Amino acid sequence: MRLDKFLAHTGFGTRKETKDLLKKKAVEVNGVCVKDGKFQVKPVVDQVAVYGEVVAYQEFIYLMLHKPQGVVSATIDNVNPTVIDLLTPAEQNFEPFPVGRLDKDTEGLLILTNDGVLAHELLSPKKHVAKRYQATIDGIVTQEDMDTFKKGIVLSDGYQCQPAELEIVSVMPDEGTSSIFVTIHEGKFHQVKRMFEACGKKVVYLKRVAMGLLELDPTLPLGKYRPLTQEELNLLKGID
């Protein structure tokens, strides 16, 4: 790995800022001053120090984001703000990406990481990782809908979804709306919305509250994020 990238990954600023450190002769590799940002280092082998302090290298970053509406689940977008735009430059230096996606108007749990192996495990169709959502539905959700979800909804394009668990929290007959939880085990485009459309109903609010065994931290404000704890990371990595 290039030395300037190593420094950026360990919180010493952008590539431009790390060049200033190198010019000031503040960086040593194995006790030898290095001024060339292209110098190759082995993070788990070489000892890098800045102003005499040994730098601890972190390869991966794992963040829990409480995604707000109006932000897209992408690394780059020419029109809308992305979830990456919510991060500090230091965290952006790790080049994280969203694990899966939430629609622009959907809130809730989104994992950001640069660990491609973990992302693949969580998104692989073979793994059937559960995604649990809280939703408000325009329409009265019934026991019949619950049974249909359990059998597997057939979407308008003919695709048959895997069995899903639909739970009715409350029904407001006067307003003609319902509050529900739904758990799906795949991630087709606009899947939850399309499943309810197939039942003649419309999702008016959608929030992901869990992915696999990991639940959204109820104390995490909308639009904010934090690193996963080791226990939470273990929950994700323990998914079969």
Side-chain angles (χ1 to χ4, degrees), residues 5 25 48 59 132-133 135 140 147 194 204 210 237 239:
K5 185 174 183 180
K25 300 181 180 180
V48 179
E59 182 177 7
R132 181 171 170 84
Y133 294 84
I140 303 301
D147 295 339
R194 294 167 66 199
V204 294
K237 290 188 174 182
I239 295 173

Side-chain angles (χ1 to χ4, degrees), residues 59-78:
E59 182 177 7
F60 296 121
I61 187 172
Y62 304 95
L63 302 174
M64 173 190 292
L65 169 68
H66 191 168
K67 179 192 169 301
Q69 295 184 15
V71 179
V72 296
S73 301
T75 54
I76 299 175
D77 191 278
N78 294 326

Side-chain angles (χ1 to χ4, degrees), residues 181-232:
F181 284 106
V182 61
T183 302
I184 63 176
H185 302 270
E186 52 193 335
K188 298 297 180 181
F189 183 68
H190 292 323
Q191 182 169 338
V192 174
K193 296 175 182 177
R194 294 167 66 199
M195 291 170 78
F196 278 98
E197 286 174 0
C199 295
K201 299 173 177 66
K202 183 179 179 180
V203 175
V204 294
Y205 172 77
L206 188 62
K207 177 178 182 176
R208 183 157 68 192
V209 295
M211 185 173 187
L213 299 175
L214 179 66
E215 297 182 354
L216 176 65
D217 181 349
T219 68
L220 187 63
L222 188 64
K224 301 299 183 179
Y225 62 92
R226 64 165 176 77
L228 290 182
T229 66
Q230 187 59 52
E231 181 180 1
E232 290 169 335

Side-chain angles (χ1 to χ4, degrees), residues 88-199:
T88 66
E91 289 152 340
Q92 291 178 12
N93 282 331
F94 282 88
E95 300 178 353
F97 51 85
V99 179
R101 62 174 54 243
L102 293 177
D103 296 339
K104 181 181 175 182
D105 60 351
T106 299
E107 299 176 357
L109 173 65
L110 190 65
I111 303 301
L112 304 175
T113 186
N114 58 347
D115 186 343
V117 174
L118 177 62
H120 174 75
E121 289 293 308
L122 293 172
L123 298 176
S124 172
K126 297 180 180 179
K127 298 295 183 178
H128 305 301
V129 175
K131 293 105 178 166
R132 181 171 170 84
Y133 294 84
Q134 172 190 348
T136 301
I137 308 300
D138 183 4
I140 303 301
V141 179
T142 65
Q143 180 64 50
E144 182 180 355
D145 294 324
M146 294 174 65
D147 295 339
T148 304
F149 269 62
K150 190 173 182 179
K151 292 176 183 176
I153 289 279
V154 178
L155 302 180
S156 58
D157 61 1
Y159 176 80
Q160 176 152 7
C161 299
Q162 296 175 13
E165 296 82 53
L166 176 58
E167 174 189 345
I168 301 173
V169 178
S170 62
V171 174
M172 287 71 73
D174 293 342
E175 300 177 11
T177 62
S178 306
S179 178
I180 62 95
F181 284 106
V182 61
T183 302
I184 63 176
H185 302 270
E186 52 193 335
K188 298 297 180 181
F189 183 68
H190 292 323
Q191 182 169 338
V192 174
K193 296 175 182 177
R194 294 167 66 199
M195 291 170 78
F196 278 98
E197 286 174 0
C199 295

